[in-house]
Amino acid sequence: MILPEVINNFNVYDYNSNKLVGVSGEVSLAEIAMTTATISGAGLLGDMDMPVIGQIGAIEQTIPFNTISTNIFTHFKLNKSVSIVLRGDIQSVDSGTGKYQHSGLRLSYRGYVKKITPGKVKAADTMGASVTMELTYMHIQLDGETVIKFDKLNGVFIVDGEDLLAEISKNC
């Protein structure tokens, strides 16, 4: 059995040019929440908040950086859609052989910059700078395989290889 252990390392890149944007210590990944509708009525024993397939709530992604840099301000424009990719390595161990294995992690984001936080200035310390984006696109891949992909502006919503909008698109 393969047991995933840790993120061995990762970097933050410009999506289009693959240039390193900045150095980040830890990125808390955005929560994906479906839009829900409250269903109630005869025959039901109360209210149910049911997910509306293909409707995703607002998603904010914050990318922290150790310090500010010209790359950050060059890449994250306040008046344009921006694309970013986090590429990393997932270290796993084979429980049968004890050998380490490595697999690729790719997190691609596109959206609009909501805020840039320059952070603080303190001798011998990081600045705690960050950029917060409103996501319109997210694509998570493990070893090149799509785990989840959505594109709010182009009607794409794929989970584990299944197009969740296929049936809906036929009817619309």
Side-chain angles (χ1 to χ4, degrees):
M1 177 188 302
I2 305 302
L3 303 171
E5 293 183 323
V6 297
I7 299 294
N8 187 294
N9 204 354
F10 79 100
N11 282 309
V12 181
Y13 297 95
D14 173 85
Y15 183 86
N16 298 312
S17 69
N18 282 326
K19 289 184 178 178
L20 188 67
V21 174
V23 176
S24 181
E26 177 181 341
V27 178
S28 295
L29 303 181
E31 180 178 283
I32 303 165
M34 302 291 293
T35 299
T36 60
T38 301
I39 308 299
S40 62
L44 300 176
L45 297 179
D47 295 347
M48 298 184 300
D49 283 340
M50 300 301 293
V52 180
I53 304 301
Q55 299 296 315
I56 304 169
I59 299 179
E60 219 179 57
Q61 178 63 61
T62 299
I63 310 284
F65 293 99
N66 289 349
T67 66
I68 57 173
S69 69
T70 55
N71 284 351
I72 293 171
F73 290 98
T74 300
H75 182 78
F76 292 101
K77 302 289 186 184
L78 293 170
N79 61 341
K80 294 181 181 176
S81 176
V82 297
S83 300
I84 195 91
V85 64
L86 280 64
R87 290 198 322 253
D89 175 84
I90 298 175
Q91 178 179 303
S92 303
V93 67
D94 185 322
S95 63
T97 65
K99 290 185 178 182
Y100 283 113
Q101 296 184 1
H102 298 272
S103 55
L105 170 67
R106 183 179 173 99
L107 308 161
S108 303
Y109 300 119
R110 185 168 48 242
Y112 296 89
V113 176
K114 291 177 78 170
K115 66 180 174 180
I116 296 175
T117 305
K120 64 184 184 316
V121 178
K122 180 180 176 186
D125 202 358
T126 61
M127 292 181 74
S130 66
V131 175
T132 302
M133 298 170 57
E134 175 65 32
L135 298 184
T136 59
Y137 173 94
M138 175 190 287
H139 190 183
I140 300 175
Q141 296 170 287
L142 296 172
D143 266 346
E145 297 293 322
T146 295
V147 177
I148 188 165
K149 179 179 181 179
F150 69 79
D151 185 340
K152 289 183 172 188
L153 301 179
N154 293 296
V156 174
F157 192 21
I158 299 168
V159 178
D160 194 29
E162 181 184 353
D163 181 353
L164 298 185
L165 299 179
E167 211 173 322
I168 296 166
S169 296
K170 281 192 283 183
N171 293 325
C172 294

